[in-house]
Structures are given as structure tokens and as C-alpha cells.
Amino acid sequence: CGEDKILATETINYFLDPEGAETFPQLVDRAKRLLTHIETLTKDLSTDSSILLVTHGDFGKMLYAAYYDIPWEDVLRQFHFGNSEVLLLSNDSSPDKAHVFETQQFNA
């Protein structure tokens, strides 16, 4: 992999064009479709309802990017989303306040 196909951050190196795998732009598109589907399913729920999604870190970050309309590259650099961490997506929370509730990671 050339350096132009790797985005290095403080905690992880992201491969941007992995052979046979989804790219980050494709993940963002899938996240947008999921958010639209959730919106359709929940349109009749009260506004104070909550939804819990469980996902892998990279897709969770792309959900964050799609929800707050932030470029995926910026989100990859913004924070690490590790195993068992929680990310808040809310109309009442700005992107800078929606960061994860972190847990200690032992796989670093």
C-alpha cells in the first residue's frame, strides 16, 4: 500500500482503498441509508424515544459522519472509537459534544 492509500492517526492507521472491502465513502453511503431507514421506522415514535445500535468502530464513525454531515476523513482523525464504547447521535447534541463515552482499551 502506498502512503496515499493510508490515513495515519494517533491511534490507528486506516487503509483507504483495501482490495475487496468497502471504502470509507461507501461506508458513509451505507450509514446514510441506515439513518434514513431508522427515520422511516421511527417516524411515529415520540421525540424523546431512544435507539441503541451496536456496531463496529469504523461503521460507527461513519454513522457519526453521516448524522452530523462531517467529511469522513475529518471523523477518522477526530477520535478513536474502540470496542464497547458509546457514541451519542442526537439533535440536542452538537458534533463536538457527541463524542464517545470511552472505556479502557487493552488491544493497543
Side-chain angles (χ1 to χ4, degrees):
C1 254
E3 286 187 30
D4 60 327
K5 295 186 178 190
I6 297 173
L7 189 151
T9 70
E10 189 176 307
T11 55
I12 194 166
N13 293 331
Y14 293 100
F15 294 93
L16 303 180
D17 192 16
E19 186 177 331
E22 282 180 294
T23 63
F24 287 102
Q26 290 169 327
L27 284 173
V28 171
D29 288 342
R30 186 159 53 102
K32 288 177 182 178
R33 291 192 311 270
L34 175 61
L35 292 170
T36 298
H37 183 67
I38 290 169
E39 189 175 289
T40 300
L41 291 175
T42 60
K43 68 178 183 268
D44 296 328
L45 295 178
S46 68
T47 57
D48 64 345
S49 295
S50 297
I51 298 169
L52 175 66
L53 297 175
V54 179
T55 184
H56 290 280
D58 288 347
F59 188 66
K61 289 180 84 162
M62 296 306 101
L63 278 168
Y64 177 92
Y67 187 87
Y68 289 109
D69 196 28
I70 299 171
W72 62 267
E73 301 96 327
D74 294 348
V75 173
L76 290 179
R77 290 182 184 100
Q78 190 173 353
F79 60 88
H80 178 72
F81 184 56
N83 296 329
S84 73
E85 293 183 342
V86 178
L87 180 63
L88 174 66
L89 305 178
S90 172
N91 291 333
D92 299 330
S93 182
S94 64
D96 61 325
K97 302 286 188 221
H99 185 58
V100 296
F101 301 97
E102 296 182 42
T103 60
Q104 185 174 6
Q105 300 292 304
F106 295 98
N107 56 353

